[in-house]
Amino acid sequence: STLVARHLAALQSAILGNPHSVNAPSAASAREDAAAREAVLRFVGGDPATHEVIWTANASAALKLVSEAYPFSEGGGLVYAPDSHNSVLGVAAVASRKGAQTASFGFSGDTLCWSLTSLSSSLATVGRAGAPRLAVLPGQSNASGIKHPIAECAAMCRRAGYHILVDAAALAPSGGLDLATLDADFVSLSFYKIFGYPTGIGALVARRDALSTLIKPWFAGGTVSLVRDPRGGRPVPLMKPKVSAEHWEDGTLNFQETLAVRFGIEMMESIHMPHVGSHIEALAGYLASSLSSLKWPNGSPFALLPRVPPPPPPTCSSVFSHPDGEGHGSSGGSGSPTEGGKMEGGKMGLPLPRTGSYNDLKSGQRQQDDKRPPNLSAKPPSDGEQGGARTPPQTGASARHRPRPLAVPPAVDSHL
């Protein structure tokens, strides 16, 4: 409410105009827009001398921008993580259509942690050296919430000659994104996931030297200085420089919402992001522990949670199970909800808005986790690890049974 009130007050006290125009309201918008971009760079640890902030509709639109403009071709390649967002699979589809070879690397054994050996093998075998190749890595797993060693993996990709795209939509809300230590060419962001408001705006933070390698497939208002349209000929645009954000931002900027982005970042900075991350981890750890303790009257577990290494991730993934062992996925990651999961969750009074998904480690095809994540059959984790319940036995118990409700969590105020 503080953020919304501040944004409303700013809109009521200022007259803003299209930054592409030349007048006083437009100049005011341009100043506010520049301040918002500076705030984004400050938030992610980007250097204004080397990085650009390109406004997009959301994080998926930022990924789409790179996928459509990256010079994929025969001999080129794309390597992506096994627990990527669905939109990254869309990037792979674009790369394949352009003739590039695509592959996902795998997990390490019976865990949800990345295999650096598998990553190294994929980097060496996908495409050919010297051809345009792109590696796409989530800053935080969209399925398990694990924060992988992203800086180490990005360094491996760089040594192998890849450009690096980091999907930070899941990572940024809990902290840990710092471009001063993470060698990435492109980073996608979603701002509502960080501070709740406004929706419908994201950004691509990009190195200018990496932007120069992209090829924009079309032009629009705001991206050109002028267009020569000879009679009977093809329109010839004079584009804004590739290394500028203007080259990539089609049409009028969402200049009223970028103002709210700056306010949101300043709010998070006042709270201090490490405190936010610790608070989220404490809440997620409490939820994981509570879910693991829930049992059906026949003794079978109500929720199956994947084994993850400590510390507790900022999201909690689970598979909700019937007494007879049938499961319906629910995850902190993004994906499409299974119809069965939604219907059964509704009958039980449980909101199951979406489920996560895992990529098949060999073919890259998606596997819905409406049964169980790949390592739920592993041995229970040691102290400090999340979950560890095994698949419940086939008991044939009635679905009318209900688990014991969660207790109201205690106040978690030690980190704020």
Side-chain angles (χ1 to χ4, degrees):
S1 61
T2 301
L3 174 55
V4 174
R6 185 182 177 189
H7 187 212
L8 175 61
L11 293 177
Q12 290 175 327
S13 61
I15 300 177
L16 303 176
N18 187 339
H20 297 156
S21 300
V22 182
N23 52 56
S26 297
S29 291
R31 289 192 296 272
E32 293 293 349
D33 176 69
R37 294 178 199 264
E38 291 174 4
V40 172
L41 286 179
R42 188 173 65 246
F43 183 78
V44 302
D47 186 349
T50 57
H51 289 77
E52 282 285 327
V53 174
I54 300 167
W55 300 120
T56 62
N58 43 49
S60 293
L63 296 172
K64 180 174 180 283
L65 186 158
V66 176
S67 70
E68 292 180 337
Y70 193 78
F72 290 117
S73 61
E74 292 188 12
L78 172 75
V79 172
Y80 58 96
D83 47 0
S84 294
H85 190 276
N86 287 341
S87 297
V88 174
L89 303 185
V91 178
V94 173
S96 294
R97 284 198 297 269
K98 293 183 178 181
Q101 182 182 357
T102 67
S104 66
F105 56 92
F107 292 114
S108 178
D110 193 25
T111 75
L112 294 178
C113 298
W114 291 348
S115 167
L116 300 188
T117 300
S118 178
L119 171 59
S120 179
S121 175
S122 295
L123 293 173
T125 57
V126 171
R128 65 170 182 266
R133 294 185 295 175
L134 179 68
V136 186
L137 306 171
Q140 175 182 303
S141 173
N142 282 276
S144 66
I146 293 175
K147 292 185 178 181
H148 299 289
I150 186 69
E152 180 181 358
C153 294
M156 292 174 61
C157 297
R158 182 70 71 197
R159 289 192 297 269
Y162 283 69
H163 286 106
I164 302 157
L165 169 57
V166 172
D167 176 11
L171 173 65
S174 60
L177 177 60
D178 185 3
L179 295 184
T181 58
L182 174 61
D183 183 12
D185 297 294
F186 311 101
V187 176
S188 61
L189 296 170
S190 174
F191 294 110
Y192 92 90
K193 293 181 179 178
I194 303 174
F195 32 79
Y197 173 89
T199 58
I201 187 167
L204 177 70
V205 180
R207 293 179 60 93
R208 293 194 183 95
D209 56 356
L211 285 175
S212 66
T213 67
L214 303 183
I215 303 172
K216 189 176 176 65
W218 82 307
F219 64 89
T223 67
V224 295
S225 297
L226 59 88
V227 179
R228 183 168 62 87
D229 189 9
R231 291 182 180 273
R234 186 179 65 180
V236 179
L238 177 60
M239 302 286 292
K240 301 288 180 64
K242 272 189 177 184
V243 295
S244 70
E246 289 178 312
H247 182 94
W248 305 99
E249 294 170 342
D250 299 326
T252 302
L253 297 179
N254 195 348
F255 55 87
Q256 294 179 336
E257 299 304 303
T258 59
L259 180 64
V261 169
R262 175 169 70 86
F263 294 159
I265 290 174
E266 291 174 351
M267 179 183 71
M268 300 307 289
E269 289 173 335
S270 69
I271 299 173
H272 196 47
M273 285 304 297
H275 292 170
V276 174
S278 297
H279 186 66
I280 293 173
E281 288 179 2
L283 291 175
Y286 175 83
L287 176 60
S289 175
S290 299
L291 286 174
S292 296
S293 67
L294 287 175
K295 305 291 183 183
W296 290 99
N298 65 3
S300 62
F302 171 67
L304 307 177
L305 279 72
R307 296 178 61 222
V308 297
T315 60
C316 178
S317 299
S318 63
V319 174
F320 295 123
S321 176
H322 284 294
D324 59 4
E326 287 294 319
H328 294 292
S330 179
S331 172
S334 294
S336 300
T338 59
E339 291 303 316
K342 288 193 295 183
M343 292 175 61
E344 294 303 318
K347 292 177 184 178
M348 298 168 62
L350 295 173
L352 301 180
R354 62 172 68 191
T355 64
S357 63
Y358 295 87
N359 300 324
D360 181 84
L361 302 185
K362 294 183 179 178
S363 65
Q365 296 176 344
R366 299 179 61 237
Q367 293 180 329
Q368 290 294 337
D369 63 346
D370 56 350
K371 294 297 182 183
R372 62 179 188 176
N375 70 332
L376 285 177
S377 61
K379 63 180 181 180
S382 58
D383 292 340
E385 294 183 340
Q386 184 190 98
R390 294 176 180 268
T391 302
Q394 300 291 326
T395 62
S398 170
R400 292 191 300 270
H401 293 170
R402 296 292 180 264
R404 294 187 296 275
L406 281 171
V408 177
V412 182
D413 57 2
S414 60
H415 299 291
L416 290 176

